[in-house]
Amino acid sequence: MTALSIDAERLIGRIRELGEIGRDGDGRLTRLAGSDADKAGRDRFVAWLRQAGLAVAIDRVGNIFGIWASTDNADKKPILIGSHIDTVIDAGIFDGCYGVLSGLAVIEALQAAGFIPARPIAVAAFTNEEGVRYAPDMLGSLVHAGGLSTEAALAISGTDGTQLGAELARIGYAGAQEPGFLKPHAYVELHIEQGPVLEREGLRIGAVENLQGISWQRVTIDGEANHAGTTPMSMRRDAGHAAARVITFLRDEARGSNSPTVATVGCMRFEPDAINVIPSRAGFTVDLRDPDEQRLTAAEAALSGYLDELAAAEQVTITVERLARFAPVAFDRTIVELIEDAARTHGLAARRMTSGAGHDAQMIARVAPSAMIFVPSIGGISHSPRERTNDADLIAGATVLLDVVARLAAAE
């Protein structure tokens, strides 16, 4: 067997090529799950899988798997590598895509070196990780891990009124395999950090040992529409003002807690949405995150209590819909240690980390030992066209992934 090495030029080229698929007339990159742009990205990825001689399997929720197996190891559980290739609106080119394409690059590097794995190795692109068009996020990996039924997932309606199952069929990615058909021996996901820690500390690699719990809720406040000029402030049932008070409450609670709890209101809409009408309805989302389950539960309880007080004080009606709830995840200690050791072997400064973002790895951790590798994000920016990671760091992360997968695939 020859020395293991990532084809850096091919990996970087593919990342940039995939990053051009789904751009609009203004150059914005958007590949929402089940869209025509998503189909184009999937088609390109599948073509690369076939060029590498991998068997391609697609399950009913559109998860794509490229599988490298032989007659000698086909009966064993595979090492699974992966992430996603769907994006947010006006996205960067690395989030998710880097992990998927690095997974393919790892398999190609092992093939080129004449490596003979003791078990199959597979790379996955999971459906609808971002959750922009269809909620919840991380949907494909959630279904794969048995956390949501296939039928329930396919019936989900999107923000544009479409149905996930129908859109997957329309773009040709409603596969025949039952989700969960591929049962991994272990799962490793490579990702940009999407935060500032590694860059700030001058480190090249993050060995992710746990992942924050996530609570998504949609809050609707109903008040009373009235004239903006003739209604005294003391007589208003202003849904917009009540919504603003919730935002301020969440920020104050998170900043004053001396804990890593974070709170975000990412979407908001007023009705009737007129400049001279007091809002009769405000609808908005709340995203709460914390790596500790007790603190996350306490943050949810604090919000619930405040909403009850606010409804009485502002004479409004408040309803809450839970969109998603994922508990914090502790990753597999053995794989985390393998990541640390691989970084040391290649002379790369590393540290253990908590992931503040949700990832497919937190779902697959339900069914297989899992862990993640982070590389720096310049300025800590992600979910933005300004998302950047140096090529050298991208290759360093892929090299660590290659080392870890080789060790996992060689072990019995």
Side-chain angles (χ1 to χ4, degrees), residues 238-249:
D238 187 339
H241 176 250
R245 289 188 61 180
V246 176
I247 296 174
T248 301
F249 168 81

Side-chain angles (χ1 to χ4, degrees), residues 82-97:
S83 196
H84 64 98
I85 62 173
D86 67 309
T87 75
V88 297
I89 298 168
D90 197 16
I93 68 173
F94 300 109
D95 180 2
C97 304

Side-chain angles (χ1 to χ4, degrees), residues 244-324:
R245 289 188 61 180
V246 176
I247 296 174
T248 301
F249 168 81
L250 289 168
R251 181 176 175 83
D252 290 345
E253 283 286 298
R255 293 188 69 175
S257 66
N258 294 318
S259 75
T261 305
V262 292
T264 305
V265 172
C267 302
M268 177 172 281
R269 182 174 181 178
F270 290 167
E271 296 179 16
D273 195 27
I275 191 171
N276 59 348
V277 180
I278 298 166
S280 61
R281 170 170 286 188
F284 55 95
T285 58
V286 176
D287 180 321
L288 296 171
R289 304 190 189 207
D290 195 287
D292 181 83
E293 174 64 25
Q294 289 186 337
R295 285 197 304 260
L296 182 60
T297 300
E300 292 174 312
L303 172 61
S304 177
Y306 181 74
L307 293 178
D308 288 342
E309 295 174 7
L310 182 67
E314 296 288 337
Q315 300 182 57
V316 294
T317 301
I318 302 178
T319 56
V320 179
E321 175 190 2
R322 183 176 294 285
L323 300 178

